[in-house]
C-alpha cells in the first residue's frame, strides 16, 4: 500500500497508537527536515495544551527502521541519564529527547501502509534555526553538539547499529556522483557542467579525513553525524543550546564530521537552497564562535590532529553535501525532499560557493583555530 497522505484522522490514529492522553486539538506538518515526515500535534490534557512530535520515518533512506529505533531508544535513554545528573532541576526533560512508547511498549508504530512512526515529547520554549544570525547562536549550537559527543563517549560502540552504511565515506560519495554523471539517467548532466567540473577538480579533498583515520591519527567515536544547525534546539529566551535532536545517524564516526557540518550550516548568511550563490560566504566570526563552542565542550577529548583539522572538516563536509545534492539532482531527486525544479542543483551550488569561500580564507581560519585553541587550552 502507498504511503498515506496526512490528514487529521491519520494523526489522531497515530496519537491512539502512542496512547496520547486527552483530546486531539490540532496538528500538521512541521519543520524543514529533508528526510522524515514530521508533524506537530496539540492535545488538550485537563485544560493544558500539550504538544508532541510524530515522525513518519523515510523508508527509502532507512532500510531497517526497527533497528534504527533500537539505536534511537538507546541514545535517548543514555543521554537522559546523563542529563539527569547535570541539568538544572525542572529542566531535565527538555535537555534530551524523550520517546513516547507505543501502546505495545515498542518505540514505534507501523501503520497499515508499512510506514514506521515514532513520537517525542515536544521540546518547548526552544527553537531550531535554518540560518543563524548571531555568534552566540553558533557558539551555543557547537557547545551543545560537543556536550552531546561527550555524553556518548561511554556508550559502547557495539551497542549501536550502522543505520546508513558509509554515511560519511566521502570517496564513495565521490564515486557515486561519477557513476550518476556517467549514467545520466534523467538527461540532466548537461545542465550541471560547471558543477561537475568543480566537483571533479576537488577529488583529493574527499580522502582527507578517511586517510587520517586509516593512518590511526584520528579515532572513531560515537558521533551524531548530522549536525546541521537545525538539528539542535536553542532556548528561546537565553539562547542556550538545550537539546540535540535528529538522532537517526548517531553511530560510530569521526568527531570532525560533526564539527565540519556545523561549519557548513552556520557560517553562511544564505540559506542552503539560496538561488543566488553570490550571497554565500563563510563568515569568520561565525567560524570563530563555532570553534570556541566546540572546543569548550569537546576540547578536552580531541587530540592534536583533530584540533589541527577543524577547517579541513568544514571544507570536507561542505564538499560532501555538494556531491550528494548534485548526485540527487542527476538521479531525479530521489533522496532529499525537494519543493521546486532544480532544488538540489541550487543546493549543490551553495555548497560549492561555500567551499570556495572556505578555501579562500583557509589560512586565516587556521589562525583563528590556533588562537581559540591556545586561549581555551588554559581553561582545560
Ligand atoms: P529530519 O530527519 O527530517 O531532519 P528532524 O528530526 O530533524 O527530521 O525534525 C525536523 C524538525 O522538527 C526539526 O528541525 C525541529 O524543528 C522539529 N523537531 C523535531 N523533533 C522535535 C522535538 N522533540 N521538539 C520540538 N521540535 C522538534
Ligand atoms: C539531511 O535530516 P536532515 O534534514 O537534518 C541529511 C544530512 C544532510 C542534510 C543536508 C539522514 O539532514 O545528511 O547533510 O540533509 N540526513 C540524512 O541538508 O541523509
Ligand atoms: Mg533534521
Amino acid at each position: 500500500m502507498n504511503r498515506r497522505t496526512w490528514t487529521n484522522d491519520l494523526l489522531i490514529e497515530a496519537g491512539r497508537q502512542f496512547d496520547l492522553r486527552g483530546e486531539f486539538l490540532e496538528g500538521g506538518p512541521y519543520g524543514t527536515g529533508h528526510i522524515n515526515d514530521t508533524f506537530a500535534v496539540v492535545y488538550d490534557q485537563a485544560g493544558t495544551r500539550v504538544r508532541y512530535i510524530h515522525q513518519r520515518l523515510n523508508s527509502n533512506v532507512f532500510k531497517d527502521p526497527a533497528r534504527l529505533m533500537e539505536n534511537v531508544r538507546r541514545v535517548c535513554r543514555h543521554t537522559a541519564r546523563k542529563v539527569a545528573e547535570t541539568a538544572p532541576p525542572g529542566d531535565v526533560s527538555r535537555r534530551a529527547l524523550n520517546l513516547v512508547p507505543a501502546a505495545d511498549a515498542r518505540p514505534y508504530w507501523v501503520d497499515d501502509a508499512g510506514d514506521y512512526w515514532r513520537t517525542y515529547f515536544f521540546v518547548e520554549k526552544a527553537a531550531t534555526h535554518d540560518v543563524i544570525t548571531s555568534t552566540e547562536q553558533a557558539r551555543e549550537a557547537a557547545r551543545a553538539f560537543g556536550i552531546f559527543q561527550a555524553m556518548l563517549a561511554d556508550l559502547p560502540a557495539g551497542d549501536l547499529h550502522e543505520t546508513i552504511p558509509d554515511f560519511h565515506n566521502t570517496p564513495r560519495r565521490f564515486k557515486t556522483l561519477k557513476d550518476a554523471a556517467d549514467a545520466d539517467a534523467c538527461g540532466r548532466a548537461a545542465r550541471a557542467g560547471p558543477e561537475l567540473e568543480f566537483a571533479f577538480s576537488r577529488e583529493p579533498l574527499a580522502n582527507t579525513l578517511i586517510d587520517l583515520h586509516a593512518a590511526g591519527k584520528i579515532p572513531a567515536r560515537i558521533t551524531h553525524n548530522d549536525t546541521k544547525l537545525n538539528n539542535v534546539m536553542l532556548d528561546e529566551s537565553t539562547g542556550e543550546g538545550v537539546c540535540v535532536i535528529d538522532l537517526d545517524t548517531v553511530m560510530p564516526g569521526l568527531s570532525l564530521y560533526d564539527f565540519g557540518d556545523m561549519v557548513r550550516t552556520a557560517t553562511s548568511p544564505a540559506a542552503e537552497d539560496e538561488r543566488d550563490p553570490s550571497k554565500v560566504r563563510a563568515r569568520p566570526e561565525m567560524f570563530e564562535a563555532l570553534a570556541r563552542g566546540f572546543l569548550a565542550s569537546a576540547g578536552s577529548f580531541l587530540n592534536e590532529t583533530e584540533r589541527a583539522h577543524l577547517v579541513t572538516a568544514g571544507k570536507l563536509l561542505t564538499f560532501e553535501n555538494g556531491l550528494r545534492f548534485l548526485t540527487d539532482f542527476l538521479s531525479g531527486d530521489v533522496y532529499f525532499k525537494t519543493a521546486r525544479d532544480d532544488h538540489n542543483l541550487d543546493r549543490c551550488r551553495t555548497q560549492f560557493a561555500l567551499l570556495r569561500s572556505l578555501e579562500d580564507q583557509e589560512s586565516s581560519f587556521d589562525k583563528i583555530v590556533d588562537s581559540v585553541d591556545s586561549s581555551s587550552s588554559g581553561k582545560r
Side-chain angles (χ1 to χ4, degrees), residues 12-312:
I12 291 166
E13 191 182 341
R16 284 204 194 99
Q17 298 300 326
F18 289 97
D19 207 10
L20 299 187
R21 304 297 161 88
E23 190 188 337
F24 174 88
L25 293 176
E26 57 185 318
Y30 191 78
T32 57
H34 293 344
I35 304 295
N36 297 307
D37 294 332
T38 300
F39 305 92
V41 291
V42 187
Y43 278 72
D44 176 345
Q45 290 179 357
T48 299
R49 288 168 66 89
V50 178
R51 289 201 282 181
Y52 297 92
I53 289 282
H54 289 311
Q55 283 184 321
R56 180 166 54 182
L57 302 187
N58 184 327
S59 54
N60 181 36
V61 168
F62 301 113
K63 304 295 181 200
D64 192 341
R67 275 154 74 99
L68 174 130
M69 287 309 298
E70 280 179 27
N71 277 17
V72 170
R73 180 156 64 176
R74 259 190 198 108
V75 172
C76 286
R77 284 186 176 157
H78 190 84
T79 49
R81 263 200 300 272
K82 296 271 163 161
V83 158
E85 292 161 10
T86 52
D91 207 29
V92 171
S93 68
R94 236 165 42 103
R95 287 172 183 257
L97 274 181
N98 284 281
L99 280 167
V100 179
D104 58 6
R106 288 190 299 189
Y108 54 81
W109 163 59
V110 186
D111 70 16
D112 54 14
D115 284 314
Y116 281 65
W117 292 69
R118 67 176 165 224
T119 302
Y120 289 116
F121 289 144
F122 197 103
V123 178
E124 295 287 357
K125 298 185 203 121
T128 55
H129 305 269
D130 290 339
V131 175
I132 59 158
T133 50
S134 76
T135 51
E136 286 72 26
Q137 290 173 322
R139 194 195 57 227
E140 276 307 307
R143 211 176 55 84
F145 280 124
I147 291 173
F148 185 78
Q149 277 193 6
M151 287 199 288
L152 295 176
D154 61 346
L155 183 67
D159 281 9
L160 294 179
H161 309 290
E162 192 177 24
T163 56
I164 303 182
D166 287 317
F167 191 57
H168 284 302
N169 185 335
T170 322
R172 189 172 287 234
R173 298 279 189 194
F174 186 87
K175 167 86 171 47
T176 308
L177 171 66
K178 267 181 128 168
D179 292 345
D182 288 342
D184 197 15
C186 305
R188 294 178 173 184
R191 281 168 46 218
E195 290 72 27
L196 284 167
E197 195 182 316
F198 180 88
F200 296 153
S201 71
R202 274 22 179 216
E203 180 172 7
L205 176 58
N207 300 297
T208 45
L209 293 190
I210 254 182
D211 284 356
L212 286 170
H213 176 56
K217 295 194 169 143
I218 50 180
R221 307 174 189 280
I222 307 268
T223 47
H224 183 281
N225 293 305
D226 187 3
T227 53
K228 70 197 247 192
L229 258 279
N230 70 13
N231 286 334
V232 58
M233 307 209 55
L234 304 183
D235 188 275
E236 251 165 32
S237 49
T238 64
E240 188 192 353
V242 280
C243 188
V244 166
I245 62 169
D246 202 344
L247 309 177
D248 296 330
T249 51
V250 176
M251 54 188 169
L254 305 182
S255 237
L256 289 176
Y257 294 147
D258 284 3
F259 186 76
D261 212 45
M262 295 178 225
V263 175
R264 178 182 83 78
T265 53
T267 56
S268 176
E272 181 182 71
D273 61 354
E274 167 60 51
R275 290 169 203 251
D276 176 2
S278 73
K279 294 187 177 152
V280 175
R281 67 191 172 87
R283 294 171 288 183
E285 68 280 15
M286 293 299 178
F287 178 80
E288 177 174 346
L290 290 175
R292 273 193 200 290
F294 195 58
L295 289 177
S297 53
S300 60
F301 59 80
L302 295 179
N303 72 23
E304 281 301 321
T305 310
E306 288 173 309
R307 292 211 293 279
H309 286 84
L310 295 179
V311 185
T312 308

